[in-house]
Amino acid sequence: MNADGLLVHYDRIADAPEAINRLRRFILDLAVRGKLVPQEAGDEPASELLTRIAKEKLLLAKAGGIRDKPALSPVAEADQPFQVPTSWEWVRFANIADFSAGRTPSRNDATFWNSGDHAWVSIADMVDGRVLDATKETVSSKARDKVFGSDPEPAGTMLMSFKLTIGKIARLGVPAFHNEAIISIRPHLPDLDGYLFKVLPQFARQGDTKGAIKGSTLNRDSLSNILLPIPPLAEQHRIVAKVDELMGLCDRLEAARSEREGTRDQLTTASLARLNAPDVETFQADARFALDALPALSTRPDQIKTLRQSILHLAVRGRLVTQDPNDKPSAVRAIDAPELAGRLDAEIPLGWRWVRVEDVADSRLGKMLDKAKNKGRPYPYLRNTNVHWFDIRLNDLKSIALVDAEFDEYRLQEGDVLICEGGHGIGRTAVWRGGPDNLVFQKALHRVRPGPHLDPDFFAQCCFVYFDAGIMQTYFTGVGIPHFTGRALSKLVFPLPPLTEQRRIVAKVDELMVVCDRLEATLTAAAATRSRLIETLINSALDPSPLEEAA
């Protein structure tokens, strides 16, 4: 085993999101292969332990403690998943433990439920690897007598899920019944309990599963035939103690990682907060500090999303570029909108105007789809699934029949802004950059065609900020499935800088988004490298080199 390499390089993989979970699995992999603790010559071999278990099983069956079932066949060498030490044995689960699934009383009989008499466990109640002290639901003594026909499982019993979520394990801290997706497990020899609790889940997840509507499931036969590597009993105890020790170390590593992530998030938030509430005199320095510091503060590609949002909010609030006194304010009639200034958390700069969409652009909904009424030649059209934030995807285009006059009315022109009118993507906005010259749009989209005072990219940025800040949603109507009506869009009020400043803002946003793209690409590449390194180091640790084997 070459675990030293994993430890040497751990600092390079410590911040990978999957690092701690993969380390936990690695520890268990070592444990079940006999590589976590040394074998000792004085230990009773597992073959003798299995003989004792078989005798105990027979006694339990005679006493009526378990049903008398024939032992399953021994595990052939060809069926063994991997080699284990010579003092170990492979065995089938049902040869060393008894198990039984639970039940769910009828929901139609209220007298069975939530009386407080007996705890009743569902998979949602279980925290993997922990003691279960409370359940969301209880069942009555009537359910105990009429449905279960027995007392609840005693505290200390091992539970494991085997349907939908396979291998989730917990130990009862209170007596309880459980549902039919969970088995209660009773080892024939109680001393096996600790080892089984550690290793059974990973082998259950490798069992012969069957497909189900909501996931995979094991049945009684596949549960019975789960293959398990069994060490000598004394070694089992050493393994359990070492696993507990190392899992405690993993807990501390995970806590340290969470603390590092929390510190980074706080520093990132503080840096971006100085941008979102900028001091005019220090803004340029604050912006440069944030951009310089973020690579060191960020370890995940998704953290760049916050920076992108901050850049766009600054743009729409007039904080991203300096105002030029030579810019000519828009000639569009301004309106008063103090409540929007409050929602944006900023007064708009001198020279800007609050305007309505209808004052600076032509907006309309697309063509309704109606095969009975749509006549003429077929034209490809965009729908809401084609429009994403700042991106129009020309995949899976469909066609609609239009007469010439309708085609002229619904034909897209370069610079048109498209906004999703309803459904899952409501509010998503993108600018049409040109492409097929016969493309139209259907009723699920608004088209906003800017006039001479409005830059389409600046308006798309406003739409994103309004949606992100919850302002656009105040213009939606409808219960259940909201819609952004044409009338509401025409009355939408937004801040309008001078056209020359709009273009400077758009150029600066584009420049900073390139920086974000580079940061994101770097973090994505680093994350992929960490993931590959984790797998390489763990595989190396689990599979010794030929030199090590020879030694």
Side-chain angles (χ1 to χ4, degrees):
M1 179 184 66
N2 183 20
D4 291 343
L6 179 64
L7 298 175
V8 168
H9 294 285
Y10 183 76
D11 60 327
R12 295 175 58 190
I13 63 175
D15 285 318
E18 74 276 20
I20 303 299
N21 286 337
R22 194 64 188 88
L23 185 58
R24 292 183 193 279
R25 294 199 302 272
F26 171 64
I27 290 167
L28 290 174
D29 282 340
L30 293 177
V32 299
R33 292 169 185 262
K35 298 179 177 181
L36 192 65
V37 300
Q39 284 73 52
E40 295 187 6
D43 289 345
E44 174 194 64
S47 57
E48 295 184 20
L49 173 62
L50 293 183
T51 300
R52 287 202 291 126
I53 293 172
K55 291 179 180 178
E56 188 66 26
K57 178 182 178 182
L58 186 61
L59 291 174
L60 288 169
K62 287 182 177 179
I66 61 172
R67 287 187 296 172
D68 187 13
K69 300 187 293 290
L72 299 171
S73 60
V75 181
E77 185 174 350
D79 295 331
Q80 297 174 11
F82 48 81
Q83 281 191 325
V84 293
T86 56
S87 58
W88 291 35
E89 295 287 339
W90 282 97
V91 67
R92 300 184 191 278
F93 175 49
N95 281 342
I96 61 170
D98 188 47
F99 62 89
S100 57
R103 293 180 179 178
T104 299
S106 172
R107 295 286 183 178
N108 295 324
D109 190 337
T111 63
F112 287 157
W113 289 99
N114 297 318
S115 63
D117 295 337
H118 304 286
W120 180 82
V121 181
S122 69
I123 294 176
D125 293 315
M126 299 169 65
V127 178
D128 202 26
R130 302 298 177 86
V131 175
L132 193 158
D133 291 317
T135 59
K136 295 181 179 65
E137 295 187 282
T138 61
V139 293
S140 65
S141 294
K142 178 183 175 182
R144 177 196 63 196
D145 298 335
K146 300 290 186 182
V147 178
F148 297 100
S150 66
D151 288 328
E153 296 292 342
T157 300
M158 189 188 329
L159 302 182
M160 187 183 76
S161 61
F162 69 99
K163 292 184 177 180
L164 310 182
T165 301
I166 295 177
K168 194 175 186 180
I169 201 161
R171 193 179 298 284
L172 285 178
V174 294
F177 294 107
H178 54 84
N179 72 14
E180 66 280 2
I182 299 168
I183 54 171
S184 47
I185 300 167
R186 295 168 290 278
H188 299 324
L189 195 67
D191 281 343
L192 297 173
D193 186 274
Y195 177 75
L196 285 180
F197 191 80
K198 300 295 183 187
V199 308
L200 179 59
Q202 69 186 101
F203 291 100
R205 287 188 283 268
Q206 298 165 16
D208 185 14
T209 60
K210 307 295 183 183
I213 294 175
K214 295 182 179 179
S216 297
T217 183
L218 296 166
N219 57 26
R220 173 165 285 277
D221 183 62
S222 55
L223 279 166
S224 297
N225 283 284
I226 292 171
L227 299 181
L228 295 169
I230 300 298
L233 191 57
E235 188 174 346
Q236 289 182 37
H237 296 159
R238 295 196 300 274
I239 288 171
V240 169
K242 178 58 72 173
V243 167
D244 285 340
E245 175 191 340
L246 294 176
M247 290 303 175
L249 174 61
C250 287
D251 289 342
R252 293 194 294 275
L253 289 172
E254 193 163 34
R257 179 182 179 276
S258 296
E259 185 176 353
R260 289 196 303 274
E261 285 292 314
T263 301
R264 289 191 185 103
D265 287 343
Q266 290 174 355
L267 290 171
T268 300
T269 300
S271 298
L272 296 177
R274 296 184 70 178
L275 301 185
N276 288 325
D279 183 312
V280 175
E281 295 182 357
T282 65
F283 174 71
Q284 294 298 329
D286 292 342
R288 178 47 54 195
F289 173 81
L291 291 173
D292 289 343
L294 269 167
L297 298 177
S298 303
T299 58
R300 306 187 313 269
D302 62 275
Q303 291 172 315
I304 303 303
K305 177 182 177 182
T306 305
L307 178 58
R308 294 185 192 275
Q309 291 170 321
S310 295
I311 289 168
L312 290 166
H313 277 264
L314 291 169
V316 171
R317 290 158 55 191
R319 307 297 194 193
L320 196 63
V321 301
T322 55
Q323 280 70 52
D324 186 338
N326 296 317
D327 289 341
K328 292 183 179 180
S330 170
V332 178
R333 179 176 60 88
I335 62 173
D336 192 29
E339 74 286 354
L340 285 173
R343 294 293 298 275
L344 282 176
D345 199 28
E347 293 291 337
I348 60 174
L350 189 67
W352 288 39
R353 301 279 190 270
W354 288 106
V355 298
R356 295 186 179 90
V357 169
E358 64 184 1
D359 296 327
V360 293
D362 173 65
S363 64
R364 65 156 305 127
L365 275 169
K367 175 66 176 176
M368 180 179 290
L369 300 178
D370 188 334
K371 291 184 178 180
K373 296 181 179 179
N374 296 153
K375 306 295 182 182
R377 289 185 292 172
Y379 293 95
Y381 68 85
L382 294 178
R383 46 193 173 138
N384 56 0
T385 56
N386 298 110
V387 176
H388 299 256
W389 282 111
F390 307 116
D391 182 30
I392 295 176
R393 303 173 189 175
L394 300 181
N395 55 307
D396 195 23
L397 293 180
K398 300 185 182 299
S399 61
I400 184 173
L402 300 174
V403 299
D404 290 346
E406 290 175 322
F407 173 63
D408 291 338
E409 185 177 359
Y410 295 106
R411 181 181 183 182
L412 289 173
Q413 296 179 10
E414 185 175 353
D416 284 345
V417 181
L418 294 170
I419 305 174
C420 293
E421 175 268 345
H424 175 69
I426 185 170
R428 290 191 307 221
T429 304
V431 177
W432 174 244
R433 306 291 180 190
D437 59 6
N438 63 341
L439 203 60
V440 296
F441 62 107
Q442 60 113 307
K443 192 176 181 292
L445 295 172
H446 294 283
R447 181 197 65 198
V448 176
R449 183 163 288 167
H453 302 290
L454 178 62
D455 183 276
D457 288 291
F458 178 78
F459 180 68
Q461 293 166 7
C462 284
C463 289
F464 175 86
V465 171
Y466 267 34
F467 190 89
D468 194 50
I471 298 172
M472 184 182 285
Q473 289 85 329
T474 64
Y475 289 83
F476 297 166
T477 60
V479 178
I481 301 177
H483 292 275
F484 193 14
T485 67
R487 177 174 176 77
L489 173 59
S490 68
K491 301 299 181 184
L492 184 142
V493 177
F494 69 98
L496 184 74
L499 185 61
T500 48
E501 186 174 346
Q502 292 179 50
R503 290 169 178 164
R504 291 201 305 276
I505 289 170
V506 169
K508 177 56 73 173
V509 168
D510 288 344
E511 175 191 336
L512 294 176
M513 289 303 170
V514 169
V515 175
C516 290
D517 290 342
R518 288 200 295 266
L519 284 173
E520 193 168 34
T522 299
L523 291 174
T524 300
T529 299
R530 283 195 295 266
S531 293
R532 290 194 299 270
L533 183 58
I534 289 171
E535 292 305 315
T536 299
L537 291 171
I538 286 176
N539 289 336
S540 174
L542 286 174
D543 297 320
S545 68
L547 288 177
E548 289 174 307
E549 287 181 332

